[in-house]
Amino acid sequence: MNNNIFVAKLGKAVGLQGQLRLFIDSDFPEQFKKGAVFSTNRNLQLKVLEYNPSRELIKFENYEDVETAKKLTNQELYSTFEQTKEFCKLGKNEFFWFDLISCDVYENELKLGNVKEIQRYPLNDYLEVTTDVTLTDKGLPKTFLIPHLFDKYILNIDIEKKVINVTKSFEILENS
């Protein structure tokens, strides 16, 4: 499994000091602080020199003028699982997507399947579940979506055991 998480894309250079537009694709903007290191899709390691959240501008060490900064335009920034866990603090019932993927999903002791991916929609995130073979053998769909809503569908998540207990989700599967 790839250990990199896409967190942002760099836009065009702004001004003459090497600042670039930053388009964040993460729920944790606090990770873009001075000294943080990100890898890019072109295998560069970039160390943050300064980040201005209100203007959405970022500047990296060794790219401190407009000419060098321009070379970074359109590159994607990646963080690692370890960095993410270190710099991004979770609240109650919050989990990293990469921790949820590959969890087994159970409803009242019945294994519904395994989390394949997290789908992000405007109103809610959804767990994309690959249905357990014992259920697909009975003619149920191969995949289905469970809204990532605590208490309504998700009862609890145990990251250590890689288990998510759900409710009202077998119903969703049957109607998918």
Side-chain angles (χ1 to χ4, degrees):
M1 189 166 157
N2 187 333
N3 191 16
N4 287 340
I5 305 160
F6 174 68
V7 291
K9 186 168 180 166
L10 296 173
K12 62 183 187 6
V14 177
L16 302 173
Q17 307 299 314
Q19 292 170 316
L20 291 145
R21 273 270 164 259
L22 183 68
F23 299 99
I24 298 177
D25 185 44
S26 165
D27 294 329
F28 303 98
E30 67 270 19
Q31 69 186 309
F32 298 96
K33 59 180 186 246
K34 181 178 168 71
V37 176
F38 297 93
S39 56
T40 74
N41 53 325
R42 296 198 195 132
N43 294 323
L44 294 172
Q45 295 293 311
L46 299 177
K47 188 171 185 179
V48 177
L49 203 56
E50 61 186 51
Y51 169 54
N52 180 333
S54 60
R55 295 189 55 215
E56 296 177 329
L57 295 176
I58 196 160
K59 183 174 171 176
F60 298 100
E61 233 172 57
N62 304 322
Y63 294 88
E64 293 160 48
D65 64 71
V66 67
E67 287 312 309
T68 52
K70 272 184 187 171
K71 296 175 184 162
L72 300 177
T73 296
N74 291 329
Q75 289 200 45
E76 296 170 353
L77 296 184
Y78 293 86
S79 181
T80 64
F81 293 163
E82 294 75 29
Q83 278 176 300
T84 301
K85 285 185 170 173
E86 186 182 336
F87 296 123
C88 307
K89 298 300 168 221
L90 296 173
K92 181 183 184 316
N93 289 341
E94 288 183 341
F95 299 90
F96 294 118
W97 285 11
F98 55 82
D99 279 340
L100 296 176
I101 290 171
S102 81
C103 280
D104 288 327
V105 179
Y106 287 90
E107 183 169 339
N108 303 325
E109 307 297 310
L110 173 66
K111 183 177 177 187
L112 298 184
N114 189 279
V115 178
K116 177 179 152 191
E117 192 57 73
I118 311 294
Q119 299 295 337
R120 189 164 233 185
Y121 292 101
L123 295 173
N124 283 311
D125 294 341
Y126 287 81
L127 303 177
E128 183 181 329
V129 178
T130 301
T131 309
D132 193 69
V133 68
T134 57
L135 299 174
T136 55
D137 285 351
K138 294 177 183 166
L140 289 163
K142 288 187 173 21
T143 61
F144 69 107
L145 298 175
I146 299 173
H148 192 282
L149 296 171
F150 266 87
D151 300 330
K152 194 164 181 185
Y153 294 100
I154 295 178
L155 300 175
N156 57 55
I157 296 177
D158 185 332
I159 293 301
E160 297 302 309
K161 292 183 180 155
K162 300 293 281 175
V163 168
I164 300 174
N165 288 298
V166 297
T167 182
K168 298 187 196 119
S169 298
F170 184 69
E171 213 175 290
I172 294 173
L173 171 59
E174 288 182 307
N175 293 306
S176 291

